[in-house]
Amino acid sequence: MGKLTFKGGVHPYDGKELSKNSPIEKYLPKGEMVYPLSQHIGAPSVPCVKKGDHVLAGQKIADAGGFVSVPLHASVSGTVKGIERRLTATGTMAESIIIENDQQYEETEFYSADPESLSASEILDRIREGGVVGMGGAGFPTHVKLAPKDPAAIEYVLVNGAECEPYLTSDYRRMLEEPEKVVAGLEIILRLFDRAKGYICIEDNKPDCIAKMKDLVKDRPRIEVKELMTKYPQGGERTLIYAVTGRQINSTMLPADVGCIVDNVDTVTAIYHAVALGRPVISRIITVTGDDVVSPKNFTVLTGTCMQELIQAAGGLKTEAAKIVSGGPMMGFALYDLNVPCVKTTSAFLCMEHDPVSEATVTACINCGRCVKVCPGRVLPSRLATLAERGDMEGFEKMNGMECCECGCCSYVCPAKRPLTQSIKSMRKMVLASRRKK
């Protein structure tokens, strides 16, 4: 039987050999800690500490600002220096809580619980209080995702272990070194959905993870491991659901509309920590990699840690990097300042000796159709980009521009080197802003 996959996609150089054999190392920060209040989709967290307060690691420093929001917790012990606007990896300035790290790492008390003794509402409360969000990059509050209108309609819980983005190996190391936590987290989610089956979805370029996971779940009838074809963007929510279940969703739908819940490997682990151990999200695994990094590594990093420190912990840079990206090369954010904090959704820092994007010369579209062939959203990227460049919002919507998932496949294969994804992404933001005004 062929490997599970989807229509379209590309096979970029994956670069995973740089850091895949690097075991997870714990990194303790040295400088001040910066905690942006918006580390998730939805309302920003609301500070519940003030300048001069002494806090402990794991202590709540900001409450949820609404239903679609989560609390924020200190990852170190120390003194609150103030609340001010600071630069983030996306290039925006965000209101942030600044804590002076006292290097003592004293923790508040955590209250563990037996998940089997908890009701569904108690499980969701512990997930919410733990500040758990989608840690694959989206940052959607997990307690909201796990509370659909009709829980009985959920048939599949998909654990996204594809890690299709080039260079990233944090999920790979998590599955290899702590697979028990991933399985335990999935079992907690399955307690919320009596009819659902759990699928741990892994690309076939990770045979050691597949073997380890299969051995762990062989006696668990509600959990299976699904092997996926290695292809980008196999780990996208829509493409993953289609590959595993054959069901399709569009931009107006949620996975729950087709009976699915999708969570990243790190998110599922965070659910286990929050529900079983009572530990909030104050750390995550981050890959520091790229051909300009002296010693690419995977670190367990406390949220709020300065990115500059992490790069130095990986041996620093070989040269003055041509480009540094927060995330992977396909969907990450290029940085112009390294003095930005690691947050809940930070998966990697990629440092490259050469920048093929800025070095490329953009020419006219030759109507070759390559962008159409690789598009997993089945739209016409070249036409959509032209409409976006003209500012034709109406035409853009008519040609289903909102179905673009911004994966970057079209820009990757374009022989004319047109910034197709960037143009489409900008227009999508304008359309969403216009809809909000109406």
Side-chain angles (χ1 to χ4, degrees):
M1 188 176 72
K3 295 290 192 302
L4 302 173
T5 191
F6 61 98
K7 298 175 183 176
V10 293
H11 293 87
Y13 163 65
D14 72 3
K16 294 183 186 291
E17 74 280 356
L18 293 174
S19 60
K20 67 177 292 186
N21 294 320
S22 171
I24 302 168
E25 296 181 20
K26 186 174 183 179
Y27 177 76
L28 294 178
K30 298 174 178 61
E32 67 177 16
M33 309 294 284
V34 179
Y35 303 90
L37 297 173
S38 293
Q39 297 189 27
H40 54 268
I41 291 174
S45 305
V46 180
C48 58
V49 293
K50 61 184 185 301
K51 184 176 180 179
D53 286 353
H54 183 267
V55 298
L56 301 175
Q59 180 180 326
K60 187 191 295 186
I61 56 176
D63 283 309
F67 176 65
V68 185
S69 183
V70 293
L72 185 62
H73 302 80
S75 57
V76 298
S77 56
T79 305
V80 178
K81 291 178 65 177
I83 301 173
E84 57 191 60
R85 293 173 69 78
R86 287 294 183 92
L87 182 68
T88 68
T90 59
T92 60
M93 299 294 287
E95 202 73 11
S96 307
I97 297 173
I98 317 300
I99 294 178
E100 186 66 49
N101 183 3
D102 64 10
Q103 303 293 322
Q104 299 302 307
Y105 302 102
E106 297 174 288
E107 293 186 339
T108 188
E109 190 172 357
F110 301 119
Y111 297 96
S112 59
D114 178 5
E116 294 190 9
S117 70
L118 301 174
S119 66
S121 61
E122 288 172 329
I123 289 173
L124 291 173
D125 284 345
R126 289 178 77 87
I127 291 172
R128 179 181 182 274
E129 283 303 302
V132 183
V133 300
M135 297 171 76
F140 190 78
T142 301
H143 71 279
V144 180
K145 180 185 284 192
L146 297 181
K149 292 180 181 178
D150 183 10
I154 301 300
E155 298 177 64
Y156 304 106
V157 176
L158 309 182
V159 177
N160 186 354
E163 197 167 48
C164 61
E165 181 84 42
Y167 290 94
L168 275 60
T169 57
S170 56
D171 287 348
Y172 168 76
R173 295 308 309 184
R174 173 77 79 184
M175 290 186 289
L176 201 61
E177 296 185 43
E178 301 179 331
E180 300 86 0
K181 292 183 178 180
V182 178
V183 173
L186 176 54
E187 289 184 318
I188 290 171
I189 298 174
L190 290 175
R191 288 187 59 77
L192 302 173
F193 308 107
D194 294 335
R195 296 181 57 237
K197 186 149 191 176
Y199 290 146
I200 300 173
C201 311
I202 309 173
E203 283 190 331
D204 60 2
N205 64 350
K206 306 174 185 66
D208 42 0
C209 288
I210 291 172
K212 187 162 281 195
M213 285 294 184
K214 282 187 172 180
D215 185 57
L216 264 180
V217 305
K218 62 185 178 184
D219 297 322
R220 293 173 167 88
R222 292 185 67 192
I223 300 178
E224 285 183 29
V225 175
K226 292 290 185 180
E227 296 182 48
L228 309 171
M229 180 184 290
T230 300
K231 183 166 65 168
Y232 178 85
Q234 185 70 81
E237 199 167 60
R238 297 186 209 176
T239 49
L240 186 68
I241 289 172
Y242 178 79
V244 177
T245 70
R247 300 176 182 184
Q248 299 184 54
I249 60 172
N250 58 38
S251 63
T252 65
M253 300 169 67
L254 295 171
D257 294 331
V258 292
C260 296
I261 296 287
V262 182
D263 272 316
N264 170 264
V265 162
D266 235 14
T267 310
V268 174
T269 304
I271 288 171
Y272 165 74
H273 286 152
V275 177
L277 307 181
R279 299 185 67 90
V281 178
I282 58 174
S283 67
R284 65 158 300 144
I285 303 173
I286 295 178
T287 304
V288 181
T289 187
D291 56 11
D292 204 45
V293 175
V294 172
S295 182
K297 293 179 182 293
N298 291 290
F299 294 106
T300 296
V301 182
L302 298 176
T303 54
T305 301
C306 180
M307 173 195 160
Q308 179 78 63
E309 286 190 39
L310 272 192
I311 292 178
Q312 292 304 316
L317 302 177
K318 298 175 184 175
T319 65
E320 187 175 344
K323 176 168 280 189
I324 297 181
V325 178
S326 174
M330 300 297 284
M331 294 187 73
F333 298 93
L335 300 168
Y336 63 87
D337 190 329
L338 303 186
N339 190 29
V340 296
C342 302
V343 296
K344 296 178 184 181
T345 54
T346 305
S347 57
F349 289 120
L350 172 61
C351 309
M352 305 172 74
E353 281 190 39
H354 303 285
D355 180 8
V357 176
S358 62
E359 292 170 0
T361 301
V362 179
T363 58
C365 174
I366 60 172
N367 296 310
C368 64
R370 292 183 192 177
C371 59
V372 180
K373 184 178 180 181
V374 302
C375 178
R378 320 315 294 162
V379 294
L380 305 175
S382 59
R383 298 292 182 266
L384 290 173
T386 300
L387 291 169
E389 289 160 5
R390 292 175 182 169
D392 186 351
M393 192 178 297
E394 184 179 349
F396 182 86
E397 289 191 79
K398 281 184 179 178
M399 288 199 70
N400 297 316
M402 299 309 288
E403 296 308 311
C404 169
C405 62
E406 302 176 7
C407 65
C409 288
C410 53
S411 297
Y412 178 77
V413 300
C414 179
K417 307 301 180 186
R418 294 179 69 198
L420 301 171
T421 306
Q422 186 177 10
S423 299
I424 295 170
K425 186 175 183 177
S426 297
M427 178 55 78
R428 277 169 49 84
K429 287 183 178 178
M430 291 173 63
V431 172
L432 291 172
S434 174
R435 289 178 180 176
R436 281 195 294 270
K437 285 181 181 178
K438 292 177 182 178

